[in-house]
Amino acid sequence: MSAASNCLEDAVLDHVLGNTSYTPAGTLYLGLFTNDSTNAADNLEAGTLTDEISGNAYVRKSVTFGSSSSGSASNSATVTFDPATGNWGTITHLAVLDASSAGNVLFWGALTTSKTIESGDTMQFVLNNVTISLA
């Protein structure tokens, strides 16, 4: 995952250039999406995405990352979503967000392989399976 939202890019640039301070979120969350809705400029500018899963026991899950090395950082623990109580559809994208609901998208990207989640299925990202890179 190498795409930062415009919201995050602006915050980091302003911080590095001494215009404002940036305070990172205390907890980061993974969100699952059924479409690449990031092409809409207003969504990227606002740091939000559409097409996030909703209902059927879906909730964002907290995620932690190890220290960066060579411009990349990976999740430092397995993240497991609760079993779906109904169909979630085909998961094609994920995002790192700064809140358990609403909030801002920080990073987003496509899954290497899409996964269809039906009732009773879970979605899991094992250690080092979610990598964020700055290029």
Side-chain angles (χ1 to χ4, degrees):
M1 183 177 344
S2 61
S5 68
N6 290 349
C7 177
L8 178 62
E9 289 172 349
D10 289 344
V12 170
L13 278 172
D14 283 342
H15 176 77
V16 170
L17 299 175
N19 296 319
T20 60
S21 294
Y22 175 71
T23 303
T27 303
L28 298 176
Y29 297 87
L30 279 185
L32 304 176
F33 298 82
T34 58
N35 192 9
D36 180 9
S37 56
T38 57
N39 291 325
D42 57 337
N43 287 339
L44 273 179
E45 193 62 45
T48 60
L49 295 175
T50 56
D51 301 318
E52 183 173 11
I53 304 302
S54 65
N56 298 317
Y58 169 79
V59 293
R60 294 176 185 168
K61 291 296 179 180
S62 62
V63 61
T64 56
F65 290 88
S67 297
S68 64
S69 176
S70 300
S72 295
S74 298
N75 59 310
S76 57
T78 296
V79 177
T80 304
F81 286 81
D82 297 333
T85 58
N87 294 343
W88 288 358
T90 301
I91 310 303
T92 61
H93 290 75
L94 74 152
V96 175
L97 302 105
D98 64 3
S100 61
S101 63
N104 297 296
V105 170
L106 303 177
F107 296 96
W108 56 270
L111 299 179
T112 303
T113 303
S114 299
K115 180 172 172 107
T116 300
I117 302 293
E118 297 177 343
S119 185
D121 292 345
T122 61
M123 184 81 169
Q124 184 177 72
F125 297 93
V126 297
L127 176 72
N128 296 322
N129 194 232
V130 177
T131 301
I132 296 174
S133 300
L134 292 179

